[in-house]
Amino acid sequence: MVYRDFWRVALRRWWVLLVGMAITLGACYVVQRTPGVYWASTKVIFLPPVTPGQENPIAPDSGSVIPLAGIVQDEINEGSPPLGSNGQDVTLVDQGIYDGWSVRLPNSGGQWANNYADPFLIVQASGPTPEIVRTRMLALMDRITAIVREHEDAARVPQSSRVSFTLSPAVVAVRYSNGYRSRALMIIGLLGLGLSVAACIVVDRVASSRRLSPDPPMAVVASGTW
């Protein structure tokens, strides 16, 4: 069947095409009216103690704060693998997580080996409102500092030798994302048109096969007295 034949069939079965395009328009309307998502992301950087002469057994030098950050990640995630991609710039929204949170230590290793080279945790949250996202971010950052303090309290680390923290960016901004709606509408439109034309072809072939099929033989009933 050539290209022109497709449209001839579509015109002949115009009501099927009309129903298909109506469903397509309905799907486009739903996508257009679907609300976006709010999200935020920041890096909680672990800073080793700088006071000379006072030891911190948990983080005695700059290299040891990376394992400490890994411990915090494991405790927050309760031993489960954290949500999120290894890429530092990939957000939860990019991965289709529209209502959740993530705390992870960036891993620059490949498939066969891990490489934790940065002393910070990537903290992210997403949700339906900015208030929910902001509350989640504050709660996660408070949880990070609380876990470190618990370990330092257990090791009786002096206040002057404790790990400190900073944020990057310094101000946690809640952003809004509505995805790539124009691209989604275009894909839905093309897909709906293609499926509608395919439905016209199927209906036309079924109708043609019924029209060309021979009538069943008539049964001859004889009546009479034997």
Side-chain angles (χ1 to χ4, degrees), residues 7 14 23 50 67 110 112 122 131 133 147 184 196-197 205 220 225:
W7 292 111
W14 60 269
I23 296 175
V50 295
W112 307 109
I122 300 176
E131 291 76 17
V133 173
I147 291 175
S196 299
V197 173
R205 288 184 176 178
V220 178
T225 304

Side-chain angles (χ1 to χ4, degrees), residues 36-81:
V37 61
Y38 294 89
W39 63 277
S41 177
T42 192
K43 298 175 182 176
V44 178
I45 303 173
F46 288 56
L47 302 176
V50 295
T51 304
Q54 295 188 15
E55 182 180 359
N56 184 331
I58 297 177
D61 52 44
S62 58
S64 60
V65 294
I66 298 177
L68 177 60
I71 292 173
V72 175
Q73 171 195 261
D74 291 341
E75 292 195 20
I76 289 182
N77 292 283
E78 298 180 350
S80 301

